[in-house]
Amino acid sequence: MTSDKGNKLARALPRTPLNDELGTSATLDSSSQKRIGDQLRAMYDELMQQPVPDRFKELLDQLDKKKDGSQ
Amino acid sequence: MTLEADLREGLLAAVPSLRAFAISLSGQVDKADDLVQDTLLRALANLHRFERGTNLNAWLFTILRNLFHSEYRKRRREVEDPNGSYAGRLKIQPEQGSHLDFEDFRTALAQLPSDQREALLLVGASGFSYEEAAGICGCAVGTIKSRVNRARLRLAALLNVDDVDDLGPDSMTRAALQG
């Protein structure tokens, strides 16, 4: 898979809407694939960068203590 | 004896990616956090089943995914999203001060069939290999590949990705700078 970007391959993408019945043999050209991937990761990174809610740390701390007490 | 320090570290370190996956799957932050909490509890209760040295993240994702799907089966109507309300809920999600706008992308993602969305999130965003994703979803590697492929095609069509100026990362960056 090449990672060339900004080329004209994107033009090869069919302009008609793709539907669910589309066969799996079709693949996206690499530059379109890259753009989709970039956006997906950017969206995901934004979620990943949110601070971890305290409840999760507290949960693990509590379990630590419980284990301490019982053993 | 305390929860082994490295394991505790590992569990905590996995939380951001578990949350991102759960939020992207469910479209609801509250529900996602409950899902992550249930995942941690279940993982702790089954630690003896975890093979040391194997991929802790993949194991946790498997648990989270299974919990999500059993919940989904239970409350199908609540989770199903024919009108894109999943995306509507996600819109409130971005942190304040963030200038990037993924609204179009979220809307498109919400329109994917859930098996395609899940496969794409695992491979395209969570960093799992096709093999790991297949293990997490309990299906064949080829199935994951075709789901990811179909998800990308569908997203490209929904987002008109062939229109370079419209949706390229550069225009997003420009929008961010102007915002």
Side-chain angles (χ1 to χ4, degrees):
Chain A
M1 204 173 295
T2 58
S3 62
D4 50 333
K5 52 194 166 187
N7 62 19
K8 300 286 194 295
L9 281 173
R11 303 286 172 218
L13 194 73
R15 288 186 180 266
T16 47
L18 302 159
N19 58 33
D20 281 326
E21 288 77 41
L22 192 87
T24 57
S25 54
T27 49
L28 267 191
D29 65 86
S30 58
S31 66
S32 297
Q33 196 163 311
K34 182 178 184 301
R35 277 196 297 279
I36 297 270
D38 286 346
Q39 284 205 61
L40 177 63
R41 279 187 296 275
M43 182 206 80
Y44 214 68
D45 283 349
E46 196 179 68
L47 294 177
M48 297 263 301
Q49 278 159 22
Q50 292 184 2
V52 170
D54 289 339
R55 63 194 270 197
F56 299 122
K57 275 175 215 161
E58 285 161 12
L59 175 76
L60 293 175
D61 286 343
Q62 268 176 16
L63 288 161
D64 261 357
K65 279 177 203 143
K66 236 186 245 169
K67 279 205 166 179
D68 275 343
S70 65
Q71 286 174 16
Chain B
M1 181 185 129
T2 60
L3 190 60
E4 288 168 62
D6 59 335
L7 208 48
R8 186 181 183 284
E9 292 275 284
L11 290 169
L12 258 187
V15 167
S17 54
L18 287 170
R19 283 188 84 228
F21 183 56
I23 291 169
S24 304
L25 271 186
S26 70
Q28 283 172 286
V29 178
D30 287 354
K31 185 178 277 239
D33 279 341
D34 288 345
L35 205 50
V36 172
Q37 173 148 349
D38 290 348
T39 300
L40 291 176
L41 287 171
R42 182 156 308 189
L44 289 164
N46 291 282
L47 269 185
H48 56 282
R49 294 198 198 164
F50 174 65
E51 276 179 62
R52 297 305 165 91
T54 62
N55 190 332
L56 178 65
N57 264 18
W59 187 64
L60 293 170
F61 270 69
T62 308
I63 295 172
L64 188 145
R65 182 200 173 266
N66 289 341
L67 286 170
F68 174 73
H69 283 282
S70 54
E71 176 87 347
Y72 178 88
R73 279 191 293 272
K74 247 189 285 167
R75 293 196 269 173
R76 199 176 188 122
R77 260 173 305 165
E78 199 182 306
V79 184
E80 228 169 9
D81 193 41
N83 305 316
S85 59
Y86 159 87
R89 290 193 299 268
L90 264 189
K91 277 177 208 157
I92 57 163
Q93 179 50 35
E95 270 185 292
Q96 286 204 331
S98 160
H99 293 288
L100 292 180
D101 183 7
F102 303 112
E103 191 178 316
D104 288 346
F105 191 84
R106 288 194 173 94
T107 306
L109 191 64
Q111 289 175 48
L112 296 181
S114 63
D115 60 345
Q116 290 178 24
R117 182 165 60 233
E118 170 182 274
L120 184 70
L121 288 168
L122 289 172
V123 172
S126 304
F128 290 110
S129 66
Y130 285 110
E131 288 73 16
E132 287 166 335
I136 290 168
C137 298
C139 66
V141 176
T143 306
I144 291 292
K145 283 185 178 167
S146 94
R147 283 177 187 168
V148 169
N149 190 35
R150 273 180 292 159
R152 283 176 175 149
L153 285 166
R154 186 80 189 274
L155 280 180
L158 289 166
L159 293 166
N160 290 313
V161 154
D162 55 335
D163 188 349
V164 177
D165 292 332
D166 230 31
L167 279 155
D170 289 344
S171 75
M172 274 174 33
T173 309
R174 276 201 303 277
L177 291 173
Q178 285 159 5

